[in-house]
Structures are given as C-alpha cells and as structure tokens.
Amino acid sequence: MLSSATLAEYLDVALEAAQRAAVVLQDWRRRFQVRTKGRFDFVTDADMASQQAIRELISRRFPQHEFLGEEDASAAARPGADSPPTWIVDPLDGTTNYLHDCPLYCISIGLQVAGELVVGVVLDPSRPELFKAAQGQGAWLGDDRLSTSRVARLEDAMLATGFPSDMRDRDDLYDYWRYFGLRTHALRRTGSTALNLAYVAAGRFDAYYAFDNHAWDVAAGVVLIREAGGTVTNVDGSPFDPFTPDGLFSNGTVHPELLQCFIRHRLRAP
C-alpha cells in the first residue's frame, strides 16, 4: 500500500504533465499535419508532441518508472508483475473530434503500481475541466469531490458506449446500440472513452460499456470511477483487466441489471 504522501506526489506530477500536454494540444490545434494510422484512425503531430511533453516530465521526476503511451510502438505490452510503477498514457483521446474541432477530447494519464491502478488524471482542455483521483483519496473535478449517480434502474439511466474507428463488419455493435437504446433513458457516444469514464465518475453518465478499449483509454478513468463510488468489471462480471478490450463501468447501483442484460440476452463481447 502506497503512502498518502507518495500518492500525492504521483498525482501532482500527473496533473502537471496533463497541463503541459494541454498547452501543446492547444498550440497545435490549427497547424497539425495528419498521417494515416488506419482507414478511419489518425495520428497527428499533436499526439506525438503531447506524449513527448508528458514523457519528458515524468521521466525527469521518476527516471526509474516505466512509460506506456498510445503512440509507442510497444504500446500493447502489459507490465509484468514485478515491473516498476508504469504510467499508462493517452496523450490525445478523441483524436477524430480534435481533428474536426469538436470539443470532446482529452489527455488521460494513469499510473499502475504492482498491477493496481492507483492514480488517474483526465484533462479536457477545451472546457476546461480537470478530473483527478488517487487511491483512497477520492475523485475530484477541480475542488469539487465527485460521486457517481444514484440511478438504480436501467430505464432511468443515461448510458454511453464507444465504437472502434472502423465500423465495417461490426453489426453486433449496432445490435447493442438498439438493445440499450430501447431500454434506457438515453444512450450516447462521445468519441472519447476517457471522458466517458470521467463523466460516469461525475454522475453525468450512469454507465459506460464498450468492447474495443485499450489500457491507455481506461487507466485513469478506472481510478476516477472507483474513487467516486462506482463499479468496474468486464462485461461478464469478472474482475476488470485494463488490458482486455471489453469493460462495463457504472455508478454501481445499475451494474447488476446491466450484467444481467449481457448474460440473459446473450449480449457478450464479440
């Protein structure tokens, strides 16, 4: 168990790194060049510059720590059980929104220690809003402590979901959209997984589900939700693993009903 002082130090560095990255993203906002990373996926000079700003600060403060960023060639690597503390970073979550000047993108910085996620920061530079959490110290939006919503019935809930950048041959996801769209108060897709999780922690969304997550998408948000009183599992109810693609993130009270939907109606990860 890390001391409160150590966690506070890690959180302070994550906050500073996120704020530096936000300056980089705003500076690049109208002058980046786009390189194709996939048919409907993009990487920009802004992504790379943002990640470099984060890496430089963290490496200078904690040279013994490891760094796993989305734009790294080895980004799929899972830290070993005996790995040093590992920073799991998405320097620009919601790249397509950023490209189109749609204000739903963010910087996500999480820290994993001994296999456990302990620090999370999500910064939305366009509003601006800064979400932060450390294990045992609560989740916060600025100076306001966060708690998840109290919605207990699916029919009263606002859900969010995420789609991969390429939706070809993914009719199953449209089936899930129809299923939950007909059984909830509302269903949304923002284009930013990290913001979706931050919004669950803040009580704006009651739950979020997806089947194409990456560790850098969820690492920070998991800490936020847990510290705000929510629940995080895989869609089959098993303990959450940030290195698996599916996840169910909720306020806690609506979680059992959502799990039953996936089980009873044969909704499962593709």
Side-chain angles (χ1 to χ4, degrees), residues 4-15:
S4 295
T6 298
L7 282 169
E9 181 183 11
Y10 291 161
L11 181 58
D12 284 344
V13 171
L15 291 169

Side-chain angles (χ1 to χ4, degrees), residues 112-123:
Q112 181 172 294
V113 179
E116 193 167 2
L117 295 167
V118 298
V119 166
V121 168
V122 173
L123 173 57

Side-chain angles (χ1 to χ4, degrees), residues 66-111:
E66 293 187 353
F67 188 95
L68 193 161
E70 182 185 10
E71 305 307 332
D72 291 329
S74 60
R78 176 195 292 265
D82 57 350
S83 294
T86 301
W87 296 87
I88 305 175
V89 173
D90 192 336
L92 175 52
D93 185 50
T95 303
T96 301
N97 289 342
Y98 179 80
L99 289 168
H100 291 273
D101 200 21
C102 176
L104 283 167
Y105 56 87
C106 67
I107 299 125
S108 176
I109 301 176
L111 176 63

Side-chain angles (χ1 to χ4, degrees), residues 222-253:
V222 166
V223 185
L224 288 166
I225 292 173
R226 286 174 173 165
E227 289 298 311
T231 300
V232 176
T233 68
N234 287 103
V235 296
D236 62 358
S238 60
F240 182 69
D241 180 353
F243 290 89
T244 57
D246 67 289
L248 179 59
F249 314 81
S250 82
N251 60 5
T253 54

Side-chain angles (χ1 to χ4, degrees), residues 123-144:
L123 173 57
D124 174 354
S126 63
R127 294 198 66 172
E129 287 189 325
L130 178 59
F131 301 86
K132 59 184 179 180
Q135 189 178 61
Q137 298 182 10
W140 304 80
L141 172 53
D143 295 327
D144 297 326

